[in-house]
Amino acid sequence: MATIEFRGINKKFGDETIIPEMNLKIDDGEFVALLGPSGCGKSTTLFMLAGIYLPTDGELLFDGARVNEVEARDRNVGIVFQSYALYPHMTVAKNIAFPLRFKKTPEAEINRRVKEAAELVRVGELLERRPEQLSGGQQQRVALARALVKDPALLLLDEPLSNLDATLRLAMRTEIKALQERLKVTTVLVTHDQIEATTMADRIVCMHAGKIEQIGTPDDLYKRPATRFVAEFVGSPPINTFQGAAADGVVELGGARLAISGGANGPVYVGLRPEHLFFADGGIPAKIVQHEPMGREILYVCDTPLGMVRILEAAATASQSIGSETHFGFDSAHSLVFESASENLIGNARVSAIESGS
């Protein structure tokens, strides 16, 4: 296994800077997710780890040794691509064996390790089939076996579940996480899917515009997002955010005035997650515009003095009808306040109560 470290890593393509500066350490045996929207630099980061891209500046270290100029084939890295990239003319056995044949491993050892890797991911009975004869989930397992067969120091997963249906994605998340814990292989997952990141990774590196917005556990990013971007990217349904002005213990939000603690002053964003809002006899007025059944929950879209607000209710049947007028309150312990200019979290600020309406 390997400890990975980025020290002042910069990556440019021509005059365009993709990663301005990255400093990150991944511990031996850790499962880390690079999470962010398209274009944030997460795939570029993964390709630098794989040796496909070389850093423009800075140092990339594996177990303390600089690997900037080390070729991909010499890094002992296993990678599973989004497309699986299986060779269609080869059997499953030959696909799995390919990295070992490339390294001129003895035939007897190849056969032994191919069988071990195939059994590890439960495709042992498929070794003589070709990729076209496999389901999406089976192809994903074969790609994983091919990455693991050479006993990599680092396993890279590039959007590995995006081509699977929802039920299979759920099963494969569980399998990959269990496999990683069993093998203790240092693993980096690239994904734009927050559910994949939060359910599989020990830590999440949330990226935006080539920069790291926050590093932490899934709980850290959800409960204490460092920036407005993290708050809006992590959480489903997405957080409600409102821009207003805070002064003298009150934040003005459109037609509402909310009491605020923590010394926030000036322009701010207030964040209230849909699951922390609730319908009440008094509070902020709301008119139900739409509701969406989500199985065990109902998501409401409401017209309020704050603007359009999403409220998530734990119920299988809607308690509010479209067009009805009601009020809502919120759990002040979970309110978030961000400075408007920097969009950074104001750590001790809370919206504590509704002061009055206008």
Side-chain angles (χ1 to χ4, degrees):
M1 306 313 111
T3 298
I4 309 298
E5 190 170 358
F6 293 80
R7 290 184 183 173
I9 287 289
N10 169 285
K11 180 59 184 174
K12 295 181 179 179
F13 292 103
D15 294 330
E16 184 179 4
T17 298
I18 306 301
I19 308 287
E21 183 178 10
M22 174 173 282
N23 294 286
L24 172 66
K25 184 176 181 181
I26 300 171
D27 292 332
D28 187 9
E30 190 175 21
F31 195 140
V32 168
L34 304 180
L35 174 68
S38 297
C40 72
K42 58 187 186 296
S43 291
T44 299
T45 302
L46 180 133
F47 291 152
M48 285 193 288
L49 285 170
I52 297 170
Y53 295 160
L54 301 182
T56 304
D57 201 2
E59 287 192 312
L60 179 59
L61 308 176
F62 282 21
D63 285 332
R66 177 186 168 103
V67 297
N68 288 44
E69 292 81 24
V70 175
E71 293 188 20
R73 63 183 178 182
D74 297 322
R75 291 194 183 190
N76 193 23
V77 171
I79 184 166
V80 179
F81 292 102
Q82 179 179 351
S83 63
Y84 312 138
L86 301 177
Y87 297 105
H89 63 286
M90 292 184 181
T91 63
V92 166
K94 289 181 178 179
N95 266 285
I96 297 174
F98 186 81
L100 300 179
R101 295 193 186 283
F102 188 76
K103 296 175 70 173
K104 303 190 185 312
T105 306
E107 192 68 24
E109 186 177 352
I110 289 176
N111 293 335
R112 177 182 62 80
R113 289 170 68 172
V114 165
K115 289 179 181 178
E116 287 179 356
E119 293 299 330
L120 192 64
V121 299
R122 299 191 290 118
V123 294
E125 73 284 3
L126 305 176
L127 290 175
E128 297 309 312
R129 295 189 187 181
R130 296 184 187 275
E132 65 185 18
Q133 298 172 295
L134 305 179
S135 68
Q138 289 169 335
Q139 290 186 51
Q140 201 268 355
R141 287 188 175 92
V142 173
L144 189 56
R146 184 179 59 186
L148 293 172
V149 73
K150 60 180 182 177
D151 191 21
L154 174 64
L155 177 62
L156 303 177
L157 306 174
D158 184 19
E159 304 270 10
L161 308 181
S162 60
N163 292 332
L164 304 179
D165 61 53
T167 301
L168 193 51
R169 278 201 304 270
L170 176 62
M172 290 307 302
R173 287 201 305 262
T174 303
E175 287 191 27
I176 291 174
K177 178 61 177 174
L179 188 62
Q180 190 275 336
E181 289 178 342
R182 175 181 168 186
L183 299 177
K184 303 297 183 185
V185 58
T186 306
T187 301
V188 177
L189 165 71
V190 160
T191 183
H192 65 272
D193 186 328
Q194 59 172 295
I195 303 299
E196 283 183 18
T198 56
T199 55
M200 296 169 69
D202 302 317
R203 284 193 302 156
I204 297 173
V205 179
C206 189
M207 298 181 65
H208 177 51
K211 299 178 181 179
I212 295 175
E213 291 275 318
Q214 186 173 357
I215 304 172
T217 65
D219 215 36
D220 291 335
L221 271 64
Y222 176 78
K223 292 183 177 179
R224 302 300 293 162
T227 65
R228 178 187 167 205
F229 173 82
V230 176
E232 292 181 338
F233 197 79
V234 176
S236 181
I239 194 170
N240 300 290
T241 54
F242 315 102
Q243 189 169 23
D248 301 323
V250 174
V251 60
E252 298 277 357
L253 291 172
R257 288 162 54 86
L258 308 179
I260 191 169
S261 63
N265 282 290
V268 295
Y269 287 98
V270 172
L272 301 172
R273 294 197 182 276
E275 56 270 37
H276 298 147
L277 305 181
F278 52 86
F279 294 111
D281 293 333
I284 301 175
K287 182 176 182 179
I288 309 299
V289 174
Q290 181 182 345
H291 59 61
E292 301 176 12
M294 300 174 64
R296 293 175 296 175
E297 299 166 320
I298 306 292
L299 178 65
Y300 296 88
V301 179
C302 307
D303 190 5
T304 80
L306 307 181
M308 290 297 177
V309 172
R310 292 178 291 270
I311 300 175
L312 192 65
E313 183 180 53
T317 305
S319 65
Q320 310 290 327
S321 57
I322 294 175
S324 65
E325 296 188 359
T326 182
H327 295 79
F328 75 91
F330 56 90
D331 184 344
S332 60
H334 294 288
S335 63
L336 300 166
V337 183
F338 303 91
E339 183 185 42
S340 185
S342 67
E343 298 195 353
N344 291 334
L345 182 72
I346 302 173
N348 60 345
R350 293 285 186 277
V351 177
S352 57
I354 302 163
E355 184 171 271
S356 65
S358 61

